[in-house]
Amino acid sequence: MENGKLQQTLAGCIELSGKTLHSGKVSKVKIWPGFAGEGRYFEFHSNLIPASIDFVRESLLCTTLCKDGYKIRTVEHLLSALEAKGIDNCRIQIQSLDSEDTEVEVPIFDGSANAWVEAIEQVGRKEALDRCGNNVEKLAPYLSEPFYVSRNDSFMVAFPASKVHISCGIDFPKVPAIGCQWFSSAALDDSYEKHIACSRTFCIYEEVEHMCSMGLIKGGSLDNAIVCR
């Protein structure tokens, strides 16, 4: 449903490159302003992959988008920052140094979304126009009844409400330093940068060797992840 707000895009172009977490390769990302109504989507080898749950494929320790045999991995920090900063439309051009690759990974930086938030703030945002030069209202999902999903020991539940209020928690007894934590916020504007964007990728020391044997975290280091013991 429409919420009375106009769709936004970037006021300029963002260009960042860096090492990736799982493949260990270097990738380059260039984010362009987009047209209203076209949403956020990746461009890889001239293939367009919408940043939509419809294109999510199951993968270990990262979120992966896939279309026509091409994969974009570890998109979660970038898409989180774009959503939180109100960027509704943009074209995310991504490339690997190896032109033969059919999959590519978003750079990990320090293991958080901070680099993307800073880049978005630096260029700013503006009202997005469609290809005919018209502005377009944002569309917001609306729940008419409670919604619940679960998998193994994780769950998510949503209730109909007039305003957005998010509560999330983690129970990680394997690492006392993490333990059981809860976070709750009624608005993401300020709390996202203070409490969410800076949250970093972590792993357990005892699991590092196993992940390496599976061909993962080839680019992992203490610079881009917290290793807990």
Side-chain angles (χ1 to χ4, degrees), residues 76-78 80-81 110-118 192 196-199:
E76 50 267 36
H77 293 158
L78 169 55
S80 170
D110 70 345
S112 78
N114 269 341
W116 297 115
V117 170
E118 292 170 1
Y192 178 81
I196 300 176
C198 56
S199 299

Side-chain angles (χ1 to χ4, degrees), residues 11-187:
C13 183
I14 291 172
E15 186 171 349
L16 293 176
S17 61
K19 180 182 287 188
T20 60
L21 176 61
H22 292 300
S23 70
K25 298 180 179 181
V26 173
S27 66
K28 181 179 179 180
V29 177
K30 199 167 186 178
I31 311 176
W32 301 83
F35 289 103
E38 298 189 2
R40 299 178 286 253
Y41 60 93
F42 288 86
E43 179 183 350
F44 178 45
H45 289 329
S46 300
N47 294 275
L48 305 183
I49 306 177
S52 164
I53 193 171
D54 295 328
F55 296 91
V56 172
R57 296 295 179 268
E58 187 166 349
S59 57
L60 290 173
L61 302 178
C62 70
T63 301
T64 298
L65 298 172
C66 180
K67 183 184 177 187
D68 299 330
Y70 291 92
K71 295 181 180 180
I72 315 292
R73 304 175 67 194
T74 322
V75 300
E76 50 267 36
H77 293 158
L78 169 55
L79 295 183
S80 170
L82 290 170
E83 173 65 23
K85 300 304 292 182
I87 307 301
D88 306 297
N89 305 276
C90 62
R91 175 166 60 97
I92 308 165
Q93 194 175 37
I94 184 168
Q95 62 184 57
S96 170
L97 294 184
D98 187 344
S99 61
E100 300 299 318
D101 284 342
T102 57
E103 63 178 65
V104 67
E105 194 174 352
V106 175
I108 190 66
F109 300 120
D110 70 345
S112 78
N114 269 341
W116 297 115
V117 170
E118 292 170 1
I120 293 168
E121 290 182 339
Q122 186 173 2
V123 301
R125 69 182 186 187
K126 65 179 181 179
E127 179 184 313
L129 301 177
D130 65 17
R131 292 183 181 270
C132 295
N134 303 311
N135 55 40
V136 179
E137 283 198 41
K138 289 189 179 189
L139 296 177
Y142 175 78
L143 285 180
S144 58
E145 59 184 40
F147 179 77
Y148 177 86
V149 293
S150 65
R151 183 173 185 180
N152 298 327
D153 58 353
S154 301
F155 71 90
M156 182 183 74
V157 60
F159 300 95
S162 58
K163 296 182 179 180
V164 175
H165 188 103
I166 298 174
S167 296
C168 58
I170 183 173
D171 188 7
F172 215 77
K174 292 182 180 179
V175 181
I178 297 176
C180 183
Q181 300 183 38
W182 280 92
F183 172 79
S184 184
S185 175

